[in-house]
Amino acid sequence: MAQDVETRAMQRPACRIHYLYRGSASGRWAVFLHGAGADSQSFAPQLRAVPADVGILAWDARGHGRSQLAAGTPFRYEDMVDDLYALLDEHHIPEADFLGQSMGGNLAQTVTRRSPERVSRLVLIDCTDNYRRLWPNEKLGLALSKATLKVWPWWWTVAVTAAACGINPKTQVYTAKTMHNLGKRHFLEVMNYWSDAHVDDNHRLGRPTLLVLGTLDMTGNIAYAMTTWPLKDPMAKLVVVPWAAHMSNRDQPWLVNRSIRKFLQWGEDRADADAAEAGREG
């Protein structure tokens, strides 16, 4: 965990949002947005790499981790978007670098389109493009995946998802634990986020963007979307991470952190810390 990080909470409609926070001494901020079924700890290897003068905001999105929804309250993507704006405003964060994995990357894209002045740079890890036109077979695949998730036994959904998220056993154990915490009903609701996030218009984000893709990420259309993304957007740069699946930032933290530090200009003087991270997470 990064030094001087506090655990805080903020009351929002039908949910108390828990998050990790550290003030900024430089005016720079890093906002971490985790994927569906995960929580703020999915970025534990990256939080240790943030320079001491950079502020940190890393939440458990509503319905995830410690941010439990009130009984009978469904998960809605737009509620999550509103929560994020409320947190940014609460801490007077006018602009930040956003780092999002999977669903968190889609959320970061939504904020970039609606409020580009609040986004300096983007790091999008193993997520698809909100604004790429989908082929008919992709639309069919999304519809079939929703139907499949409904009929699969929950234990099987957890097992398959954990295997898809990581080749590192620690990544798989982490994923299974956070998914069990979320539960099947909320997981099915959360997985509808893509329908709310996607707009079929080939919009360009207009911000320097680092795309991080695990070579073994076979989830949905992510590999195709990320590898073709730079053809649409010249401000997007793709980094492919070997021997990493859907949660490449946990499967290969040393390689991912090295790319993030270079892109966000966090310095290149933490080789020893990188080696320690590789040992702890591997």
Side-chain angles (χ1 to χ4, degrees), residues 176-217:
K177 179 181 177 180
T178 56
M179 283 193 64
H180 277 300
N181 184 57
L182 184 65
K184 182 174 183 177
R185 181 174 69 85
H186 283 314
F187 179 72
L188 294 176
E189 292 171 351
V190 168
M191 291 309 293
N192 284 323
Y193 78 86
W194 170 241
S195 300
D196 298 314
H198 185 253
V199 180
D200 205 8
D201 65 357
N202 277 339
H203 172 75
R204 293 183 183 180
L205 295 172
R207 288 293 181 271
T209 303
L210 178 67
L211 307 171
V212 180
L213 173 66
T215 55
L216 302 178
D217 190 344

Side-chain angles (χ1 to χ4, degrees), residues 6 12 19 104 109 113 116 125 137 148 156 161 169 180-181 188 192 206-207 228 240 244 261:
E6 306 172 20
R12 293 287 298 155
Y19 59 99
Q109 293 175 62
R113 181 162 191 171
I125 302 171
N137 64 307
T148 300
W156 179 252
T161 304
H180 277 300
N181 184 57
L188 294 176
N192 284 323
R207 288 293 181 271
T228 58
V240 178
R261 272 201 295 274

Side-chain angles (χ1 to χ4, degrees), residues 44-176:
Q46 285 67 56
L47 294 178
R48 291 193 292 268
V50 181
D53 64 341
V54 175
I56 290 174
L57 186 66
W59 74 353
D60 292 354
R62 62 171 44 233
H64 294 73
R66 297 159 297 171
S67 302
Q68 294 298 299
L69 290 164
T73 302
F75 174 92
R76 295 190 179 92
Y77 183 77
E78 286 300 323
D79 292 338
M80 182 173 64
V81 175
D82 292 341
D83 292 339
L84 180 55
Y85 277 113
L87 275 178
L88 295 174
D89 292 342
E90 172 72 13
H91 295 291
H92 308 288
I93 302 175
E95 183 182 22
D97 295 322
F98 285 79
L99 300 90
Q101 190 270 334
S102 194
M103 179 185 73
N106 299 110
L107 176 57
Q109 293 175 62
T110 296
V111 172
T112 305
R113 181 162 191 171
R114 296 183 186 181
S115 306
E117 74 283 356
R118 305 197 78 152
V119 180
S120 177
R121 287 164 293 192
L122 291 162
V123 177
L124 305 178
I125 302 171
D126 298 297
C127 79
T128 193
D129 184 351
N130 284 12
Y131 308 114
R132 187 179 66 81
R133 296 191 185 279
L134 298 181
W135 295 98
N137 64 307
E138 291 177 291
K139 295 179 180 179
L140 177 61
L142 286 169
L144 291 176
S145 65
K146 291 180 182 179
T148 300
L149 288 173
K150 288 182 180 179
V151 299
W152 271 0
W154 179 232
W155 66 267
W156 179 252
T157 300
V158 171
V160 169
T161 304
C165 281
I167 60 169
N168 186 325
K170 292 183 179 179
T171 304
Q172 296 176 359
V173 170
Y174 165 79
T175 302

